[in-house]
Amino acid sequence: MVAVADVPVGGGVILRDRGVVVTQPAEGEFRAFGAVCPHRECVVRSIAAGTVNCLCHGSRFRITDGSVAGGPSPSGLPEHDVVVVDGMVALRP
Ligand code: FES
């Protein structure tokens, strides 16, 4: 789905076409979350300073577990299980 090397440590990438955010909170630790903000269903737009950010109304979600770090979202981003195979991060089928 995405190469390990393309996911910044302490940050992540937003795969808009897949509707998924992949983060690497610590070296070698990967997480994946749904990219649709639970507030009004905008797709999240940026990752900075440890949070995934929805620019529609300012909700922020922690890269560690998708939980709400600020803004109006009533809940966090849903988490998906991931596997790392041959240098690629993929969703667990
Ligand atoms: S839709 Fe994301 S903060 Fe409102």
Side-chain angles (χ1 to χ4, degrees), residues 1-80:
M1 187 170 71
V2 62
V4 164
D6 290 338
V7 185
V9 177
V13 291
I14 299 167
L15 307 174
R16 291 183 64 86
D17 56 330
R18 305 291 296 267
V20 172
V21 180
V22 178
T23 67
Q24 188 174 187
E27 177 109 37
E29 177 190 328
F30 295 92
R31 299 289 174 88
F33 307 98
V36 177
C37 177
H39 180 229
R40 295 277 168 80
E41 302 188 348
C42 288
V43 175
V44 296
R45 289 291 294 278
S46 72
I47 301 176
T51 60
V52 178
N53 306 309
C54 179
L55 302 186
C56 286
H57 316 97
S59 287
R60 296 180 293 115
F61 308 92
R62 296 178 182 89
I63 64 169
T64 51
D65 61 4
S67 62
V68 177
S73 182
S75 59
L77 300 175
E79 185 162 8
H80 300 291

